[in-house]
């Protein structure tokens, strides 16, 4: 039988999607494979098809029981013999499957990594004829990814024990760093690398500052999504229940789903959702990984996810059938504080800083006014044009934009001329002709870019730097050193026009020094909001509110309304340390006003 015949007979598809055939052919040619393709792109077919043209069994490593179960069920329904081995089965069932395997009656075997690495089981596998291994959700191998799993790390053993057996690894989300890590950890031999575009053209992506608890915004959003399926993500178990309850009181059927529920209850909700009996599930991130429901029409986040990887995967659950679907992210300053405190609580490892960096990227994305699709793609080292119509930033017409192409080129040029060895503050020093000792020591007052950027304030340059980071024109190296990407080089050469929301740049203008006033003239409403934020921070950190900031500081904040770090440092009771800890959260709140 030919590939196309199998595609039609077993899978019911009339043709391959882009990139699928390339991977199928590589597997048939016994090559190692590393495929990165967004959720819904059709990765499973890439290994399920070739095994039917090959002798032996394919062993698929997958992290989630539910996921394996769905795959096995779907395969069996297509007349393909598949089985799974998990800790959930009785010994009898396992023995049954093992003897079928020995008899060569199973084409695809799904196993959890911990099961696979069991010495007894490895010995058993050596008696079988395995055509190739599949590592699903391969990003779990990498500590630089967002879902590292200890057992996945052990998979490096496969190439030792089965040096002749090819490995095909698949994931939906991997930056270049993670991609390299996967290849190295699995010890892939010159793998066929296939990277699909991350652009999901049927998804409309929006992010807004959350107003209070966001419930009014949620209701407004749901108005245009009546009778369609969706997932609403919240941060805590308690929230899933209160939001589900809130929706029910508004006559909208919604079920809560979180890790604290009984297995039975979780299964019931999951099943009802997949079978279209419940339209809305309000969930923590425990819900949805590997969910095989193609008609999810919307995904809402009621607070900020901790990484762009998580976010992209979660919104990716919408619209797998290719039909238009909508996503909405609501976030606020409090989320940042909360996420930071979660990270703070982690043990001290090199990955802690990494977690902070990932959160920073997420915050930048949320605040950005660049094309959302383009920003996501840039984060994953994928370069695409602005979508023009599928995100809030591209469709916002009333936004006034200013051309910062020249400024961008100046900044990029300074990065380049100083050897791509410095952080943004230093680069700005050079641009603005600073007499800082370090600049003089490095003789950077002698280079052509010295002092060519005096028309912008330090803060404006920082904003321009952020913008270039969002666009993927620069990237951060070790020690937060700024480097040019290939796209940055193009910008430097003048090949692209760079624009920024006017408001974003003017807001940061070196503001005239404000008069120092206490108490006489402050915004009482703002004071209340600041107090709420303070209470939240205090609670998260387990300290009394006045330790965070005194009332005097809050009053001064609500009078001066600082919009930059510099201005903030002029506020009563805020020094560098306090600023480091809480400044950003308050700044974001003030900027939301
Ligand atoms: P992924 O694992 O990449 O998230 P899946 O393998 O679950 O994606 O496939 C997503 C959907 O696309 C499934 O419903 C699948 O049946 C469908 N699909 C996959 N390949 C094709 C194809 N060649 N033609 C049409 N539909 C396809
Ligand atoms: Zn866009």
């Amino acid at each position: 039988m030919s590939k196309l015949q199998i595609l039609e007979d077993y899978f019911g598809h009339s043709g391959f999607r882009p990139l699928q055939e390339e991977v199928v052919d590589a597997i048939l040619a016994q090559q190692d494979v590393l495929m990165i393709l967004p959720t819904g792109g059709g990765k499973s077919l890439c290994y399920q098809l070739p095994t039917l043209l090959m002798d032996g069994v394919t062993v698929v490593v997958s992290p989630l029981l539910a996921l394996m179960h769905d795959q096995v069920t779907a395969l069996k329904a297509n007349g393909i013999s598949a089985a799974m081995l998990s800790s959930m089965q009785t010994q009898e069932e396992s023995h049954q499957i093992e003897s079928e395997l020995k008899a060569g009656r199973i084409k695809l075997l799904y196993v959890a990594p911990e099961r696979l690495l069991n010495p007894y089981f490895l010995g058993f596998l050596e008696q079988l004829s395995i055509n190739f291994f599949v590592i699903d959700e391969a990003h779990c191998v990498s500590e630089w990814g967002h879902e590292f799993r200890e057992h996945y790390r052990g998979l490096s053993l496969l190439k030792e024990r089965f040096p002749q057996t090819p490995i095909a690894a698949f994931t939906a989300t991997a930056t270049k760093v993670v991609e390299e890590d996967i290849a190295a950890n699995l010890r892939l031999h010159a793998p066929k690398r296939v990277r699909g575009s991350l652009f999901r053209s049927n998804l409309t992506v929006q992010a807004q500052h959350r107003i209070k608890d966001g419930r009014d915004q949620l209701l407004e959003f749901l108005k245009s999504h009546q009778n369609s399926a969706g997932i609403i993500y919240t941060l805590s178990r308690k929230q899933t229940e209160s939001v589900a309850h809130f929706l029910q009181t508004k006559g909208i059927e919604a079920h809560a789903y979180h890790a604290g529920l009984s297995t039975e209850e979780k299964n019931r909700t999951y099943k009802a959702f997949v079978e279209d009996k419940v339209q809305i599930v309000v969930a923590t991130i425990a819900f949805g990984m590997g969910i095989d429901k193609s008609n999810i029409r919307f995904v809402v986040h009621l607070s900020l996810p901790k990484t762009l990887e998580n976010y992209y995967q979660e919104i990716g659950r919408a619209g797998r059938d290719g039909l238009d679907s909508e996503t909405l992210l609501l976030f606020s300053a409090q989320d940042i504080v909360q996420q930071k405190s979660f990270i703070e609580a982690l043990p001290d490892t090199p990955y802690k800083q990494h977690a902070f960096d990932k959160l920073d990227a997420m915050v930048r994305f949320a605040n950005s006014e660049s094309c959302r699709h383009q920003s996501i793609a840039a984060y994953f080292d994928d370069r695409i044009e602005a979508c023009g119509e599928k995100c809030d930033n591209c469709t916002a017409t009333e936004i006034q934009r200013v051309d910062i192409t020249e400024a961008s080129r100046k900044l990029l040029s300074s990065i380049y001329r100083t050897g791509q060895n410095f952080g943004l503050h230093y680069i700005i020093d050079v641009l603005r002709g600073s007499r800082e000792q370090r600049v003089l020591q490095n003789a950077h007052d002698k280079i052509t870019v010295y002092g060519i950027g005096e028309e912008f304030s330090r803060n404006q340059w920082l904003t321009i730097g952020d913008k270039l980071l969002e666009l993927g024109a620069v990237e951060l190296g070790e020690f937060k050193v700024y480097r040019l990407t290939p796209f940055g080089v193009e910008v430097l050469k003048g090949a692209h026009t760079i624009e920024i929301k006017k408001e974003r740049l003017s807001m940061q203008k070196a503001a005239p020094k404000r008069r120092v006033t206490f108490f006489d003239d402050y915004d009482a409403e703002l004071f209340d909001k600041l107090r709420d934020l303070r209470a939240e921070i205090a609670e998260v950190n387990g300290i009394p509110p006045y330790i965070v900031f005194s009332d005097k500081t809050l009053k001064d904040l609500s009078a001066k309304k600082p919009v930059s770090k510099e201005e903030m440092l002029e506020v009563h009771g805020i020094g560098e340390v306090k600023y480091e800890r809480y400044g950003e959260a308050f700044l974001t709140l003030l900027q939301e006003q």
Side-chain angles (χ1 to χ4, degrees):
M1 266 176 110
S2 73
K3 284 182 290 189
L4 278 172
Q5 233 174 327
I6 292 192
L7 184 63
E8 221 162 272
D9 291 359
Y10 284 92
F11 298 93
H13 303 319
S14 51
F16 284 108
R17 285 198 184 149
L19 308 179
Q20 283 181 328
E21 195 167 12
E22 246 179 274
V23 172
V24 168
D25 288 343
I27 291 178
L28 289 173
Q30 309 263 320
Q31 213 185 333
D32 284 350
V33 169
L34 176 44
M35 182 184 214
I36 299 161
L37 192 70
T39 311
K43 290 184 285 299
S44 355
L45 182 95
C46 295
Y47 61 83
Q48 290 171 351
L49 189 148
T51 189
L52 300 180
L53 287 163
M54 298 162 88
D55 289 332
V57 57
T58 300
V59 176
V60 185
V61 181
S62 175
L64 269 172
L65 288 182
L67 190 62
M68 294 192 234
H69 183 79
D70 291 349
Q71 294 268 9
V72 170
T73 312
L75 283 164
K76 283 183 175 165
N78 283 342
I80 299 167
S81 61
M84 67 186 273
L85 282 172
S86 77
S87 49
M88 304 294 280
Q89 285 145 321
T90 62
Q91 230 176 7
E92 209 172 313
E93 284 168 327
S94 298
H95 284 307
Q96 172 65 25
I97 291 171
E98 284 174 15
S99 64
E100 283 185 41
L101 280 165
K102 276 192 197 155
R105 284 203 293 267
I106 290 177
K107 285 309 295 181
L108 286 136
L109 173 70
Y110 285 78
V111 284
E114 53 273 30
R115 172 77 185 229
L116 180 79
L117 296 172
N118 167 314
Y120 159 79
F121 191 67
L122 280 172
F124 169 75
L125 286 183
E126 276 169 342
Q127 300 167 35
L128 302 179
S129 155
I130 298 172
N131 47 24
F132 60 97
F133 287 103
V134 171
I135 314 296
D136 205 6
E137 311 288 347
H139 59 275
C140 296
V141 165
S142 173
E143 284 180 289
W144 301 108
H146 62 296
E147 286 179 323
F148 173 60
R149 286 170 192 242
E150 200 60 49
H151 286 294
Y152 261 71
R153 178 48 55 89
L155 294 173
S156 56
L157 205 80
L158 287 180
K159 277 288 180 196
E160 267 172 45
R161 295 289 290 261
F162 304 88
Q164 303 304 328
T165 314
I167 295 179
F170 297 86
T171 176
T173 39
T175 58
K176 282 266 156 59
V177 175
V178 173
E179 179 182 337
E180 291 315 316
D181 217 20
I182 294 171
N185 281 317
L186 294 175
R187 307 188 183 178
L188 303 183
H189 297 315
K192 168 90 185 172
R193 293 179 192 236
V194 179
R195 213 177 223 280
S197 169
L198 290 150
F199 180 39
R200 296 277 313 275
S201 60
N202 62 323
L203 293 189
T204 300
V205 180
Q206 309 163 69
Q208 294 167 6
H209 285 281
R210 191 173 62 234
I211 301 164
K212 294 199 186 119
D213 55 12
R215 291 185 183 183
D216 290 342
Q217 287 159 295
L218 177 64
L219 284 181
E220 191 57 39
F221 178 86
L222 293 179
K223 263 191 205 159
S224 52
H225 291 91
Q226 282 168 18
N227 300 318
S228 49
I231 306 177
I232 300 167
Y233 285 107
T234 69
L235 219 51
S236 70
R237 296 175 181 187
K238 210 169 79 189
Q239 261 182 321
T240 63
E241 286 176 4
S242 69
V243 172
H245 179 74
F246 165 75
L247 291 177
Q248 282 153 12
T249 63
K250 298 286 174 189
I252 300 169
E253 215 205 337
H255 284 204
Y257 186 105
H258 58 75
L261 298 173
S262 70
T263 309
E264 197 192 1
E265 203 166 343
K266 279 191 291 192
N267 289 345
R268 204 167 343 122
T269 300
Y270 182 87
K271 195 158 174 281
F273 184 62
V274 171
E275 292 173 354
D276 287 336
K277 289 180 182 137
V278 169
Q279 295 290 9
I280 299 179
V281 171
V282 187
T284 54
I285 52 166
F287 184 74
M289 188 175 178
I291 190 167
D292 196 11
K293 180 177 168 69
S294 63
N295 64 339
I296 297 175
R297 292 275 73 83
F298 64 88
V299 169
V300 178
H301 285 87
L302 285 180
S303 59
L304 194 79
K306 62 181 193 289
T307 72
L308 263 171
E309 282 97 331
N310 287 106
Y311 172 70
Y312 179 69
Q313 238 181 22
E314 284 151 17
I315 62 169
R317 287 171 192 144
R320 287 175 67 161
D321 52 11
L323 298 179
D324 279 347
S325 307
E326 224 173 311
T327 76
L328 172 66
L329 163 64
L330 297 177
F331 68 99
S332 100
Q334 284 99 317
D335 302 347
I336 305 171
V337 178
Q338 194 162 19
Q339 292 287 13
K340 280 196 171 162
S341 70
F342 289 154
I343 302 174
E344 243 354 302
L346 295 174
D348 269 318
T349 69
Y351 301 102
K352 193 164 174 173
Q353 185 51 47
H354 194 54
F356 279 119
D357 293 346
K358 280 184 185 285
L359 179 59
D360 283 346
M362 187 68 227
V363 172
R364 253 196 323 272
F365 169 82
N367 283 314
S368 148
E369 72 345 316
S370 308
C371 171
R372 304 280 181 196
H373 286 283
Q374 201 177 24
S375 310
I376 295 172
Y379 180 77
F380 290 107
D381 306 302
D382 185 13
R383 185 119 291 295
I384 61 172
E385 295 299 320
C387 74
E389 52 170 16
K390 289 292 186 179
C391 81
D392 51 356
N393 286 335
C394 283
T395 52
T397 45
E398 73 281 17
I399 294 179
Q400 278 196 349
R401 294 172 190 280
V402 284
D403 189 316
I404 51 161
T405 310
E406 271 321 299
S408 303
R409 293 178 63 194
K410 285 182 182 178
L411 187 69
L412 293 167
S413 176
S414 301
I415 294 171
Y416 183 72
R417 302 243 171 237
T418 50
Q420 318 202 57
N421 261 326
F422 296 91
L424 189 54
H425 280 276
Y426 183 90
I427 302 293
I428 294 172
D429 279 344
V430 174
L431 269 173
R432 289 178 38 86
S434 154
R435 305 297 300 164
E436 277 282 324
Q437 211 186 351
R438 215 168 135 225
V439 175
L440 304 180
Q441 267 169 4
N442 291 326
H444 282 153
D445 57 334
K446 304 283 190 300
I447 58 179
T448 52
V449 291
Y450 182 75
I452 61 168
E454 281 173 281
E455 73 273 32
F456 290 112
S457 69
R458 167 169 300 272
N459 283 330
Q460 286 175 317
W461 279 118
L462 287 171
T463 303
I464 294 166
D466 272 355
K467 177 76 193 184
L468 293 176
L469 197 57
E470 282 160 28
L471 291 175
V474 291
E475 61 187 9
L476 289 182
E478 225 180 335
F479 309 117
K480 303 221 166 152
V481 153
Y482 274 62
R483 294 188 307 226
L484 269 59
T485 63
F487 178 66
V489 174
E490 289 175 21
V491 174
L492 179 58
K493 288 182 180 157
H496 302 274
T497 303
I498 308 290
E499 287 183 329
I500 195 166
K501 195 153 77 178
K502 189 170 174 196
E503 178 190 305
R504 195 171 160 196
L505 208 56
S506 50
M507 194 175 68
Q508 308 269 358
K509 269 234 173 70
K513 289 265 182 286
R514 286 165 213 232
R515 169 168 73 89
V516 181
T517 47
F518 287 156
F519 309 141
D520 49 348
D521 160 33
Y522 77 96
D523 179 340
E525 200 184 324
L526 179 57
F527 180 82
D528 285 344
K529 288 184 191 166
L530 293 168
R531 196 168 47 189
D532 289 346
L533 175 57
R534 178 179 67 176
E536 194 129 354
I537 294 178
E539 197 190 323
V540 171
N541 289 284
I543 52 176
Y546 65 84
I547 299 281
V548 178
F549 283 146
S550 69
D551 276 9
K552 200 166 168 179
T553 299
L554 294 194
K555 284 205 169 129
D556 203 22
L557 274 173
S558 48
K560 291 182 177 152
K561 304 189 174 123
V563 292
S564 67
K565 179 179 173 183
E566 278 173 357
E567 291 178 17
M568 198 121 179
L569 289 175
E570 282 177 25
V571 171
H572 173 86
I574 304 184
E576 281 285 346
V577 175
K578 281 270 169 90
Y579 180 82
E580 271 308 310
R581 287 197 189 143
Y582 317 118
E584 201 178 330
F586 281 90
L587 212 49
T588 311
L589 176 69
L590 288 161
Q591 286 167 350
E592 280 168 19
Q593 303 311 307

